Amino acid sequence: MRILITGGTGFVGSRLIARMQPQGHEFVVLTRNAEKARRKLGMDTFRIIEWDTRSPIPPDAFQGVEAAVNLVGESIASKRWSAQQKKKIINSRVEPTRALVEGINAHAPQCRALVSASAIGYYPVNQPEPLEEESEPAAGFMSEICQKWEAEAERVNEGTRLVIVRIGVVLGRGGGVIGRLMPIFKAGLGGPVSDGSQMMSWIHVDDLAGILSRALKEDSMRGVYNAVAPHPVTNREFSKAFAKALGRPALLPAPAFMLRATMGEMADIVLDSQAISGRKVQEEGGYSFLYPRIEHAMNEIAGRS
């Protein structure tokens, strides 16, 4: 297939391209910096098009496009959540998604599928049971992001199969949360956050790329899927598994009050508990996880498998 992608130079998008290009698929990459994209993705990328996410997508970008994947968005953890930063985070998802959908609707009647990212922030936190795709959305900023993001994707033509992927905490070498935590844990300074009892729904980046790839190719997949590993863990279990894989201790907890003082409202991301079910993507989506348990993921990340 020829696949149009936003967010193709990011941690997840670049992994998806690396997975699918050897299978013969072509990517049209929309990016703000074409030269940087070529350096990162390689010269064999089919086509790279510079695009300011606040403007319409050039119509010729859709030529021959049979599927699209939407991974664009400002990091939610790059800065404290001021009112201005919250607006920037929402707009960085809503505006490009709107432009992508409008472009597909106007210029790509042959586009058979749109796979659009969302996040498990859609769901309430601190619930007693694992939440599934049909669960009601939460109130609050994280859920507001996801609901507005998904609403834009849902405006795509009925002839384009829509898959919305609500993504958990992404783990993998070279980026995401592991990129930030690796120096701390390698120094033996890692440990649980607060009392470590909060649940964490996670996924290895290779499994996320696998789910996105399957969603692009499988006509049976449509609607919402949670992209989370089958076995959520407590923050304490996460810290212990990471430290063990690195051969380091994990004894130094990060107190909740310290996180709130330094991160403000954003501290809720790591202090709240979320157990999300990944049953549907396995049973209905037919996906088989490479790293179903945290020990498997951490051993790969540490280079032990």
Side-chain angles (χ1 to χ4, degrees):
M1 289 187 293
R2 185 174 296 176
I3 302 164
L4 185 70
I5 183 169
T6 68
T9 61
F11 182 45
V12 176
S14 58
R15 192 67 63 99
L16 177 64
I17 291 172
R19 177 191 180 96
M20 294 189 72
Q21 271 190 330
Q23 301 169 5
H25 302 289
E26 299 174 343
F27 280 88
V28 179
V29 180
L30 297 173
T31 180
R32 285 175 289 190
N33 188 324
E35 185 56 38
K36 183 178 178 181
R38 286 189 187 94
R39 288 198 302 269
K40 181 160 188 176
L41 300 175
M43 297 302 293
D44 59 341
T45 302
F46 173 70
R47 194 173 179 201
I48 295 174
I49 297 175
E50 282 200 353
W51 169 54
D52 181 342
T53 57
R54 296 166 295 183
S55 61
I57 297 171
D60 67 337
F62 296 94
Q63 184 177 356
V65 164
E66 299 163 88
V69 58
N70 182 36
L71 301 172
V72 72
E74 171 92 2
S75 170
I76 62 169
S78 59
K79 298 178 182 177
R80 285 178 69 105
W81 287 353
S82 64
Q84 183 178 5
Q85 181 64 12
K86 283 184 175 182
K87 184 177 180 180
K88 184 178 180 182
I89 289 169
I90 291 175
N91 287 346
S92 73
R93 288 160 173 77
V94 168
E95 292 175 356
T97 304
R98 181 180 300 149
L100 177 61
V101 167
E102 288 176 351
I104 291 171
N105 290 348
H107 305 297
Q110 76 283 355
C111 183
R112 302 194 304 266
L114 168 61
V115 179
S116 193
S118 184
I120 60 171
Y122 176 93
Y123 301 108
V125 297
N126 305 319
Q127 300 296 300
E129 299 294 332
L131 301 178
E132 301 194 340
E133 287 80 356
E134 297 76 20
S135 300
E136 292 296 314
F141 176 57
M142 288 296 296
S143 186
E144 179 188 359
I145 297 170
C146 298
Q147 291 180 70
K148 289 182 175 179
W149 199 2
E150 293 179 17
E152 293 298 330
E154 288 166 356
R155 296 170 56 245
V156 76
N157 283 331
E158 288 185 6
T160 300
R161 176 175 57 87
L162 175 63
V163 181
I164 290 175
V165 182
R166 292 181 183 150
I167 301 170
V169 178
V170 182
L171 307 180
R173 277 181 275 180
V177 66
I178 292 297
R180 295 186 180 94
L181 293 179
M182 182 70 81
I184 299 170
F185 274 75
K186 273 192 169 182
L189 301 175
V193 173
S194 189
D195 66 359
S197 65
Q198 63 273 36
M199 296 299 297
M200 174 180 172
S201 293
W202 60 277
I203 184 167
H204 191 285
V205 67
D206 286 342
D207 278 318
L208 178 53
I211 290 170
L212 294 171
S213 174
R214 189 168 182 83
L216 285 165
K217 294 184 287 186
E218 293 294 329
D219 290 342
S220 61
M221 288 186 70
R222 59 179 65 241
V224 178
Y225 293 84
N226 294 331
V228 292
H231 304 286
V233 294
T234 65
N235 180 264
R236 186 184 304 108
E237 290 167 334
F238 166 84
S239 300
K240 183 178 178 180
F242 191 16
K244 183 178 179 181
L246 294 172
R248 298 290 190 273
L251 304 174
L252 300 175
F257 76 86
M258 184 182 298
L259 288 175
R260 293 205 181 279
T262 57
M263 298 172 68
E265 183 183 352
M266 190 167 60
D268 291 341
I269 297 171
V270 291
L271 293 174
D272 284 332
S273 180
Q274 270 197 316
I276 307 299
S277 170
R279 178 188 58 82
K280 182 180 177 183
V281 77
Q282 297 175 87
E283 295 181 3
E284 295 183 26
Y287 184 73
S288 188
F289 278 82
L290 296 170
Y291 305 103
R293 295 189 179 275
I294 195 68
E295 294 82 7
H296 304 149
M298 289 306 184
N299 283 338
E300 191 282 331
I301 288 166
R304 297 179 62 184
S305 66

